[in-house]
Amino acid sequence: MEQATSIRPAKFGLVGFILGIASLVIILIQFSSLFEPQEASTGSFIGEIAADIKQSAARVISGQPAPAPARLPQDNRQIITAAALCVAGIAIVLGGIGLYRNEPHRLSYLAVGIGVSAIVMQYVFWLALLVCGVALLISIIGNLDSILE
């Protein structure tokens, strides 16, 4: 007598794969929106940072209180990014459930891999921007005397 094995359809793995792809696409769109042409040039932005550093140092030396911080305009970028990272986490969990239920492994592995890569890509991107920002601030502070004479 032949023994037939029933292959379960990859429900959880497929849904996790689709959610992982969606989160990866949303995060990539968010990255591209950061590099849109800005109203001010980069040089004027760096000059404004240097001028703010010089003015706040002069206020500290003279004993004046710091002005109240200005409110930044609200947009939905942070909410969309947080939602995309949550969707990536859901994709990882659904891929794990698919592996636990012995569904076909390919889609479950892809769901876990793409979900993890979306989270890691977001983390590495912001880490790189942080390192570049620190390097920029160090060079501004080091050359502050020659920038604003």
mmCIF file of all heavy atoms in Angstrom, residues 53-104:
data_model
loop_
_atom_site.group_PDB
_atom_site.id
_atom_site.type_symbol
_atom_site.label_atom_id
_atom_site.label_comp_id
_atom_site.label_asym_id
_atom_site.label_seq_id
_atom_site.Cartn_x
_atom_site.Cartn_y
_atom_site.Cartn_z
ATOM 1 N N ILE A 53 25.869 76.864 16.493
ATOM 2 C CA ILE A 53 26.854 76.450 17.502
ATOM 3 C C ILE A 53 27.555 77.674 18.069
ATOM 4 O O ILE A 53 27.737 77.804 19.289
ATOM 5 C CB ILE A 53 27.853 75.447 16.894
ATOM 6 C CG1 ILE A 53 27.170 74.124 16.588
ATOM 7 C CG2 ILE A 53 29.032 75.221 17.845
ATOM 8 C CD1 ILE A 53 28.023 73.150 15.815
ATOM 9 N N LYS A 54 27.942 78.611 17.209
ATOM 10 C CA LYS A 54 28.642 79.814 17.663
ATOM 11 C C LYS A 54 27.728 80.671 18.540
ATOM 12 O O LYS A 54 28.159 81.172 19.589
ATOM 13 C CB LYS A 54 29.138 80.614 16.464
ATOM 14 C CG LYS A 54 29.940 81.827 16.858
ATOM 15 C CD LYS A 54 30.442 82.563 15.646
ATOM 16 C CE LYS A 54 31.237 83.793 16.093
ATOM 17 N NZ LYS A 54 31.684 84.573 14.955
ATOM 18 N N GLN A 55 26.468 80.833 18.153
ATOM 19 C CA GLN A 55 25.537 81.647 18.935
ATOM 20 C C GLN A 55 25.244 81.012 20.288
ATOM 21 O O GLN A 55 25.182 81.714 21.309
ATOM 22 C CB GLN A 55 24.239 81.847 18.163
ATOM 23 C CG GLN A 55 24.370 82.762 16.974
ATOM 24 C CD GLN A 55 23.112 82.786 16.128
ATOM 25 O OE1 GLN A 55 22.152 82.055 16.395
ATOM 26 N NE2 GLN A 55 23.120 83.611 15.085
ATOM 27 N N SER A 56 25.077 79.705 20.336
ATOM 28 C CA SER A 56 24.804 79.066 21.622
ATOM 29 C C SER A 56 26.037 79.109 22.522
ATOM 30 O O SER A 56 25.908 79.252 23.736
ATOM 31 C CB SER A 56 24.303 77.643 21.435
ATOM 32 O OG SER A 56 25.280 76.834 20.861
ATOM 33 N N ALA A 57 27.235 79.016 21.952
ATOM 34 C CA ALA A 57 28.445 79.156 22.767
ATOM 35 C C ALA A 57 28.551 80.569 23.320
ATOM 36 O O ALA A 57 28.932 80.770 24.490
ATOM 37 C CB ALA A 57 29.680 78.812 21.932
ATOM 38 N N ALA A 58 28.207 81.596 22.532
ATOM 39 C CA ALA A 58 28.235 82.980 23.004
ATOM 40 C C ALA A 58 27.198 83.188 24.099
ATOM 41 O O ALA A 58 27.452 83.912 25.077
ATOM 42 C CB ALA A 58 27.986 83.939 21.845
ATOM 43 N N ARG A 59 26.013 82.560 23.984
ATOM 44 C CA ARG A 59 24.994 82.674 25.032
ATOM 45 C C ARG A 59 25.456 82.040 26.328
ATOM 46 O O ARG A 59 25.209 82.563 27.408
ATOM 47 C CB ARG A 59 23.691 82.012 24.566
ATOM 48 C CG ARG A 59 22.785 82.924 23.796
ATOM 49 C CD ARG A 59 21.394 82.351 23.688
ATOM 50 N NE ARG A 59 21.350 81.017 23.114
ATOM 51 C CZ ARG A 59 21.255 80.749 21.821
ATOM 52 N NH1 ARG A 59 21.206 81.731 20.959
ATOM 53 N NH2 ARG A 59 21.210 79.510 21.387
ATOM 54 N N VAL A 60 26.122 80.895 26.235
ATOM 55 C CA VAL A 60 26.597 80.218 27.445
ATOM 56 C C VAL A 60 27.663 81.062 28.141
ATOM 57 O O VAL A 60 27.665 81.206 29.369
ATOM 58 C CB VAL A 60 27.136 78.808 27.098
ATOM 59 C CG1 VAL A 60 27.890 78.215 28.268
ATOM 60 C CG2 VAL A 60 25.992 77.894 26.702
ATOM 61 N N ILE A 61 28.561 81.636 27.356
ATOM 62 C CA ILE A 61 29.629 82.449 27.940
ATOM 63 C C ILE A 61 29.052 83.705 28.599
ATOM 64 O O ILE A 61 29.478 84.105 29.689
ATOM 65 C CB ILE A 61 30.672 82.813 26.864
ATOM 66 C CG1 ILE A 61 31.439 81.556 26.470
ATOM 67 C CG2 ILE A 61 31.637 83.883 27.370
ATOM 68 C CD1 ILE A 61 32.367 81.751 25.298
ATOM 69 N N SER A 62 28.051 84.333 27.974
ATOM 70 C CA SER A 62 27.476 85.555 28.536
ATOM 71 C C SER A 62 26.447 85.270 29.621
ATOM 72 O O SER A 62 26.016 86.194 30.306
ATOM 73 C CB SER A 62 26.843 86.402 27.428
ATOM 74 O OG SER A 62 25.726 85.727 26.885
ATOM 75 N N GLY A 63 26.034 84.041 29.795
ATOM 76 C CA GLY A 63 25.102 83.670 30.852
ATOM 77 C C GLY A 63 23.644 83.848 30.476
ATOM 78 O O GLY A 63 22.775 83.798 31.343
ATOM 79 N N GLN A 64 23.329 84.043 29.225
ATOM 80 C CA GLN A 64 21.946 84.194 28.792
ATOM 81 C C GLN A 64 21.276 82.825 28.732
ATOM 82 O O GLN A 64 21.914 81.826 28.425
ATOM 83 C CB GLN A 64 21.886 84.853 27.413
ATOM 84 C CG GLN A 64 22.419 86.255 27.377
ATOM 85 C CD GLN A 64 22.431 86.792 25.944
ATOM 86 O OE1 GLN A 64 22.183 86.052 24.997
ATOM 87 N NE2 GLN A 64 22.729 88.075 25.805
ATOM 88 N N PRO A 65 19.955 82.787 28.992
ATOM 89 C CA PRO A 65 19.256 81.495 28.892
ATOM 90 C C PRO A 65 19.074 81.090 27.435
ATOM 91 O O PRO A 65 19.034 81.930 26.542
ATOM 92 C CB PRO A 65 17.911 81.764 29.566
ATOM 93 C CG PRO A 65 17.699 83.229 29.407
ATOM 94 C CD PRO A 65 19.077 83.855 29.454
ATOM 95 N N ALA A 66 18.955 79.820 27.247
ATOM 96 C CA ALA A 66 18.750 79.291 25.895
ATOM 97 C C ALA A 66 17.315 79.554 25.450
ATOM 98 O O ALA A 66 16.391 79.514 26.266
ATOM 99 C CB ALA A 66 19.035 77.800 25.866
ATOM 100 N N PRO A 67 17.103 79.852 24.169
ATOM 101 C CA PRO A 67 15.729 80.068 23.698
ATOM 102 C C PRO A 67 14.953 78.755 23.679
ATOM 103 O O PRO A 67 15.528 77.667 23.659
ATOM 104 C CB PRO A 67 15.923 80.616 22.278
ATOM 105 C CG PRO A 67 17.246 80.087 21.848
ATOM 106 C CD PRO A 67 18.083 80.009 23.101
ATOM 107 N N ALA A 68 13.640 78.882 23.695
ATOM 108 C CA ALA A 68 12.791 77.693 23.650
ATOM 109 C C ALA A 68 12.961 77.009 22.292
ATOM 110 O O ALA A 68 13.065 77.682 21.268
ATOM 111 C CB ALA A 68 11.332 78.086 23.854
ATOM 112 N N PRO A 69 13.025 75.688 22.283
ATOM 113 C CA PRO A 69 13.201 74.993 20.995
ATOM 114 C C PRO A 69 11.972 75.173 20.106
ATOM 115 O O PRO A 69 10.846 75.195 20.581
ATOM 116 C CB PRO A 69 13.398 73.534 21.394
ATOM 117 C CG PRO A 69 12.819 73.422 22.757
ATOM 118 C CD PRO A 69 12.950 74.764 23.398
ATOM 119 N N ALA A 70 12.229 75.299 18.818
ATOM 120 C CA ALA A 70 11.140 75.451 17.856
ATOM 121 C C ALA A 70 10.533 74.093 17.559
ATOM 122 O O ALA A 70 11.234 73.084 17.495
ATOM 123 C CB ALA A 70 11.673 76.085 16.579
ATOM 124 N N ARG A 71 9.235 74.073 17.378
ATOM 125 C CA ARG A 71 8.556 72.822 17.056
ATOM 126 C C ARG A 71 8.784 72.473 15.597
ATOM 127 O O ARG A 71 8.678 73.316 14.718
ATOM 128 C CB ARG A 71 7.067 72.950 17.311
ATOM 129 C CG ARG A 71 6.741 72.950 18.790
ATOM 130 C CD ARG A 71 5.311 72.619 18.963
ATOM 131 N NE ARG A 71 5.108 71.234 18.584
ATOM 132 C CZ ARG A 71 4.367 70.401 19.271
ATOM 133 N NH1 ARG A 71 3.763 70.800 20.346
ATOM 134 N NH2 ARG A 71 4.203 69.156 18.869
ATOM 135 N N LEU A 72 9.096 71.230 15.362
ATOM 136 C CA LEU A 72 9.277 70.749 14.000
ATOM 137 C C LEU A 72 7.916 70.435 13.388
ATOM 138 O O LEU A 72 7.010 69.981 14.088
ATOM 139 C CB LEU A 72 10.147 69.494 13.993
ATOM 140 C CG LEU A 72 11.588 69.687 14.455
ATOM 141 C CD1 LEU A 72 12.288 68.336 14.544
ATOM 142 C CD2 LEU A 72 12.323 70.600 13.512
ATOM 143 N N PRO A 73 7.765 70.653 12.088
ATOM 144 C CA PRO A 73 6.485 70.304 11.467
ATOM 145 C C PRO A 73 6.267 68.785 11.505
ATOM 146 O O PRO A 73 7.187 68.004 11.300
ATOM 147 C CB PRO A 73 6.626 70.813 10.034
ATOM 148 C CG PRO A 73 8.087 70.949 9.806
ATOM 149 C CD PRO A 73 8.707 71.223 11.146
ATOM 150 N N GLN A 74 5.041 68.405 11.785
ATOM 151 C CA GLN A 74 4.717 66.982 11.894
ATOM 152 C C GLN A 74 4.410 66.408 10.510
ATOM 153 O O GLN A 74 3.741 67.024 9.700
ATOM 154 C CB GLN A 74 3.500 66.789 12.801
ATOM 155 C CG GLN A 74 3.738 67.192 14.227
ATOM 156 C CD GLN A 74 4.711 66.268 14.935
ATOM 157 O OE1 GLN A 74 4.780 65.096 14.629
ATOM 158 N NE2 GLN A 74 5.458 66.791 15.875
ATOM 159 N N ASP A 75 4.928 65.241 10.263
ATOM 160 C CA ASP A 75 4.568 64.504 9.059
ATOM 161 C C ASP A 75 4.408 63.036 9.432
ATOM 162 O O ASP A 75 4.665 62.626 10.553
ATOM 163 C CB ASP A 75 5.579 64.701 7.935
ATOM 164 C CG ASP A 75 6.971 64.234 8.305
ATOM 165 O OD1 ASP A 75 7.194 63.875 9.465
ATOM 166 O OD2 ASP A 75 7.831 64.225 7.417
ATOM 167 N N ASN A 76 3.971 62.258 8.500
ATOM 168 C CA ASN A 76 3.656 60.856 8.771
ATOM 169 C C ASN A 76 4.809 59.911 8.478
ATOM 170 O O ASN A 76 4.617 58.700 8.496
ATOM 171 C CB ASN A 76 2.429 60.442 7.956
ATOM 172 C CG ASN A 76 1.194 61.186 8.386
ATOM 173 O OD1 ASN A 76 1.074 61.565 9.548
ATOM 174 N ND2 ASN A 76 0.290 61.414 7.467
ATOM 175 N N ARG A 77 5.990 60.414 8.218
ATOM 176 C CA ARG A 77 7.109 59.541 7.859
ATOM 177 C C ARG A 77 7.489 58.599 8.992
ATOM 178 O O ARG A 77 7.761 57.424 8.760
ATOM 179 C CB ARG A 77 8.321 60.366 7.457
ATOM 180 C CG ARG A 77 8.151 61.082 6.155
ATOM 181 C CD ARG A 77 9.381 61.847 5.804
ATOM 182 N NE ARG A 77 9.161 62.618 4.584
ATOM 183 C CZ ARG A 77 10.047 63.393 4.051
ATOM 184 N NH1 ARG A 77 11.221 63.548 4.611
ATOM 185 N NH2 ARG A 77 9.774 64.052 2.953
ATOM 186 N N GLN A 78 7.525 59.117 10.210
ATOM 187 C CA GLN A 78 7.912 58.259 11.336
ATOM 188 C C GLN A 78 6.871 57.182 11.597
ATOM 189 O O GLN A 78 7.208 56.044 11.905
ATOM 190 C CB GLN A 78 8.133 59.104 12.581
ATOM 191 C CG GLN A 78 9.310 60.038 12.466
ATOM 192 C CD GLN A 78 9.446 60.955 13.661
ATOM 193 O OE1 GLN A 78 8.515 61.086 14.448
ATOM 194 N NE2 GLN A 78 10.599 61.572 13.801
ATOM 195 N N ILE A 79 5.605 57.538 11.465
ATOM 196 C CA ILE A 79 4.544 56.561 11.691
ATOM 197 C C ILE A 79 4.581 55.481 10.613
ATOM 198 O O ILE A 79 4.437 54.286 10.908
ATOM 199 C CB ILE A 79 3.172 57.274 11.717
ATOM 200 C CG1 ILE A 79 3.109 58.224 12.915
ATOM 201 C CG2 ILE A 79 2.034 56.270 11.764
ATOM 202 C CD1 ILE A 79 1.908 59.137 12.906
ATOM 203 N N ILE A 80 4.809 55.896 9.373
ATOM 204 C CA ILE A 80 4.872 54.925 8.272
ATOM 205 C C ILE A 80 6.066 53.993 8.448
ATOM 206 O O ILE A 80 5.959 52.779 8.242
ATOM 207 C CB ILE A 80 4.920 55.664 6.921
ATOM 208 C CG1 ILE A 80 3.582 56.353 6.665
ATOM 209 C CG2 ILE A 80 5.250 54.703 5.791
ATOM 210 C CD1 ILE A 80 3.586 57.270 5.478
ATOM 211 N N THR A 81 7.211 54.542 8.855
ATOM 212 C CA THR A 81 8.398 53.705 9.068
ATOM 213 C C THR A 81 8.177 52.725 10.214
ATOM 214 O O THR A 81 8.540 51.552 10.111
ATOM 215 C CB THR A 81 9.624 54.590 9.338
ATOM 216 O OG1 THR A 81 9.793 55.482 8.246
ATOM 217 C CG2 THR A 81 10.874 53.757 9.523
ATOM 218 N N ALA A 82 7.578 53.197 11.309
ATOM 219 C CA ALA A 82 7.301 52.303 12.439
ATOM 220 C C ALA A 82 6.320 51.202 12.032
ATOM 221 O O ALA A 82 6.488 50.035 12.413
ATOM 222 C CB ALA A 82 6.746 53.101 13.609
ATOM 223 N N ALA A 83 5.322 51.566 11.223
ATOM 224 C CA ALA A 83 4.370 50.561 10.762
ATOM 225 C C ALA A 83 5.056 49.537 9.851
ATOM 226 O O ALA A 83 4.768 48.331 9.932
ATOM 227 C CB ALA A 83 3.217 51.232 10.024
ATOM 228 N N ALA A 84 5.964 50.004 8.988
ATOM 229 C CA ALA A 84 6.684 49.079 8.110
ATOM 230 C C ALA A 84 7.551 48.125 8.919
ATOM 231 O O ALA A 84 7.650 46.932 8.590
ATOM 232 C CB ALA A 84 7.535 49.848 7.105
ATOM 233 N N LEU A 85 8.177 48.623 9.986
ATOM 234 C CA LEU A 85 8.990 47.741 10.828
ATOM 235 C C LEU A 85 8.116 46.752 11.592
ATOM 236 O O LEU A 85 8.518 45.598 11.797
ATOM 237 C CB LEU A 85 9.842 48.576 11.776
ATOM 238 C CG LEU A 85 10.938 49.399 11.103
ATOM 239 C CD1 LEU A 85 11.637 50.288 12.110
ATOM 240 C CD2 LEU A 85 11.930 48.502 10.396
ATOM 241 N N CYS A 86 6.927 47.166 12.005
ATOM 242 C CA CYS A 86 6.001 46.236 12.655
ATOM 243 C C CYS A 86 5.542 45.159 11.674
ATOM 244 O O CYS A 86 5.427 43.983 12.038
ATOM 245 C CB CYS A 86 4.801 46.987 13.219
ATOM 246 S SG CYS A 86 5.178 47.998 14.651
ATOM 247 N N VAL A 87 5.284 45.557 10.432
ATOM 248 C CA VAL A 87 4.885 44.584 9.404
ATOM 249 C C VAL A 87 6.028 43.600 9.147
ATOM 250 O O VAL A 87 5.794 42.407 8.948
ATOM 251 C CB VAL A 87 4.443 45.314 8.116
ATOM 252 C CG1 VAL A 87 4.292 44.358 6.956
ATOM 253 C CG2 VAL A 87 3.142 46.046 8.365
ATOM 254 N N ALA A 88 7.274 44.097 9.170
ATOM 255 C CA ALA A 88 8.422 43.195 9.007
ATOM 256 C C ALA A 88 8.494 42.203 10.169
ATOM 257 O O ALA A 88 8.782 41.021 9.966
ATOM 258 C CB ALA A 88 9.718 43.999 8.910
ATOM 259 N N GLY A 89 8.212 42.672 11.381
ATOM 260 C CA GLY A 89 8.174 41.764 12.533
ATOM 261 C C GLY A 89 7.071 40.730 12.402
ATOM 262 O O GLY A 89 7.265 39.551 12.735
ATOM 263 N N ILE A 90 5.916 41.144 11.897
ATOM 264 C CA ILE A 90 4.819 40.197 11.679
ATOM 265 C C ILE A 90 5.209 39.168 10.620
ATOM 266 O O ILE A 90 4.887 37.978 10.735
ATOM 267 C CB ILE A 90 3.536 40.960 11.287
ATOM 268 C CG1 ILE A 90 3.038 41.779 12.480
ATOM 269 C CG2 ILE A 90 2.458 40.008 10.810
ATOM 270 C CD1 ILE A 90 1.925 42.743 12.141
ATOM 271 N N ALA A 91 5.937 39.614 9.587
ATOM 272 C CA ALA A 91 6.396 38.677 8.550
ATOM 273 C C ALA A 91 7.338 37.638 9.143
ATOM 274 O O ALA A 91 7.261 36.450 8.794
ATOM 275 C CB ALA A 91 7.082 39.438 7.422
ATOM 276 N N ILE A 92 8.207 38.062 10.051
ATOM 277 C CA ILE A 92 9.128 37.123 10.703
ATOM 278 C C ILE A 92 8.341 36.102 11.524
ATOM 279 O O ILE A 92 8.605 34.895 11.468
ATOM 280 C CB ILE A 92 10.143 37.886 11.583
ATOM 281 C CG1 ILE A 92 11.059 38.735 10.719
ATOM 282 C CG2 ILE A 92 10.951 36.932 12.443
ATOM 283 C CD1 ILE A 92 11.899 39.719 11.506
ATOM 284 N N VAL A 93 7.360 36.588 12.274
ATOM 285 C CA VAL A 93 6.560 35.688 13.110
ATOM 286 C C VAL A 93 5.764 34.714 12.246
ATOM 287 O O VAL A 93 5.697 33.506 12.537
ATOM 288 C CB VAL A 93 5.627 36.511 14.033
ATOM 289 C CG1 VAL A 93 4.605 35.628 14.710
ATOM 290 C CG2 VAL A 93 6.445 37.275 15.059
ATOM 291 N N LEU A 94 5.161 35.200 11.160
ATOM 292 C CA LEU A 94 4.393 34.307 10.287
ATOM 293 C C LEU A 94 5.287 33.282 9.598
ATOM 294 O O LEU A 94 4.884 32.124 9.411
ATOM 295 C CB LEU A 94 3.622 35.118 9.247
ATOM 296 C CG LEU A 94 2.426 35.912 9.773
ATOM 297 C CD1 LEU A 94 1.816 36.741 8.667
ATOM 298 C CD2 LEU A 94 1.394 34.989 10.378
ATOM 299 N N GLY A 95 6.496 33.687 9.239
ATOM 300 C CA GLY A 95 7.433 32.723 8.680
ATOM 301 C C GLY A 95 7.804 31.654 9.698
ATOM 302 O O GLY A 95 7.912 30.467 9.359
ATOM 303 N N GLY A 96 7.990 32.066 10.941
ATOM 304 C CA GLY A 96 8.276 31.098 12.005
ATOM 305 C C GLY A 96 7.115 30.154 12.248
ATOM 306 O O GLY A 96 7.307 28.951 12.467
ATOM 307 N N ILE A 97 5.895 30.680 12.196
ATOM 308 C CA ILE A 97 4.714 29.825 12.359
ATOM 309 C C ILE A 97 4.626 28.828 11.205
ATOM 310 O O ILE A 97 4.311 27.646 11.400
ATOM 311 C CB ILE A 97 3.436 30.682 12.463
ATOM 312 C CG1 ILE A 97 3.421 31.454 13.771
ATOM 313 C CG2 ILE A 97 2.186 29.821 12.346
ATOM 314 C CD1 ILE A 97 2.300 32.474 13.889
ATOM 315 N N GLY A 98 4.930 29.293 9.995
ATOM 316 C CA GLY A 98 4.921 28.399 8.844
ATOM 317 C C GLY A 98 5.946 27.289 8.983
ATOM 318 O O GLY A 98 5.689 26.135 8.613
ATOM 319 N N LEU A 99 7.114 27.607 9.517
ATOM 320 C CA LEU A 99 8.128 26.575 9.742
ATOM 321 C C LEU A 99 7.683 25.599 10.831
ATOM 322 O O LEU A 99 7.919 24.396 10.728
ATOM 323 C CB LEU A 99 9.463 27.217 10.119
ATOM 324 C CG LEU A 99 10.185 27.947 8.990
ATOM 325 C CD1 LEU A 99 11.395 28.706 9.541
ATOM 326 C CD2 LEU A 99 10.609 26.968 7.920
ATOM 327 N N TYR A 100 7.041 26.131 11.859
ATOM 328 C CA TYR A 100 6.572 25.284 12.959
ATOM 329 C C TYR A 100 5.480 24.324 12.493
ATOM 330 O O TYR A 100 5.427 23.179 12.929
ATOM 331 C CB TYR A 100 6.059 26.160 14.104
ATOM 332 C CG TYR A 100 5.518 25.373 15.261
ATOM 333 C CD1 TYR A 100 6.381 24.706 16.125
ATOM 334 C CD2 TYR A 100 4.153 25.278 15.483
ATOM 335 C CE1 TYR A 100 5.891 23.976 17.179
ATOM 336 C CE2 TYR A 100 3.651 24.555 16.532
ATOM 337 C CZ TYR A 100 4.523 23.902 17.384
ATOM 338 O OH TYR A 100 4.035 23.171 18.429
ATOM 339 N N ARG A 101 4.619 24.787 11.595
ATOM 340 C CA ARG A 101 3.519 23.945 11.107
ATOM 341 C C ARG A 101 3.942 23.034 9.970
ATOM 342 O O ARG A 101 3.107 22.375 9.361
ATOM 343 C CB ARG A 101 2.366 24.834 10.648
ATOM 344 C CG ARG A 101 1.681 25.539 11.803
ATOM 345 C CD ARG A 101 0.594 26.436 11.284
ATOM 346 N NE ARG A 101 -0.240 25.781 10.298
ATOM 347 C CZ ARG A 101 -1.510 25.477 10.464
ATOM 348 N NH1 ARG A 101 -2.100 25.787 11.580
ATOM 349 N NH2 ARG A 101 -2.199 24.904 9.492
ATOM 350 N N ASN A 102 5.216 22.981 9.652
ATOM 351 C CA ASN A 102 5.765 22.127 8.595
ATOM 352 C C ASN A 102 5.148 22.416 7.229
ATOM 353 O O ASN A 102 4.894 21.502 6.442
ATOM 354 C CB ASN A 102 5.615 20.645 8.939
ATOM 355 C CG ASN A 102 6.514 20.246 10.069
ATOM 356 O OD1 ASN A 102 7.615 20.772 10.196
ATOM 357 N ND2 ASN A 102 6.047 19.355 10.915
ATOM 358 N N GLU A 103 4.939 23.697 6.955
ATOM 359 C CA GLU A 103 4.530 24.088 5.618
ATOM 360 C C GLU A 103 5.766 24.001 4.725
ATOM 361 O O GLU A 103 6.881 23.844 5.223
ATOM 362 C CB GLU A 103 3.997 25.521 5.635
ATOM 363 C CG GLU A 103 2.697 25.677 6.387
ATOM 364 C CD GLU A 103 2.210 27.107 6.411
ATOM 365 O OE1 GLU A 103 2.924 28.008 5.929
ATOM 366 O OE2 GLU A 103 1.107 27.330 6.917
ATOM 367 N N PRO A 104 5.599 24.091 3.406
ATOM 368 C CA PRO A 104 6.785 24.126 2.542
ATOM 369 C C PRO A 104 7.726 25.243 2.996
ATOM 370 O O PRO A 104 7.311 26.371 3.234
ATOM 371 C CB PRO A 104 6.204 24.401 1.155
ATOM 372 C CG PRO A 104 4.826 23.840 1.217
ATOM 373 C CD PRO A 104 4.359 24.048 2.624
#
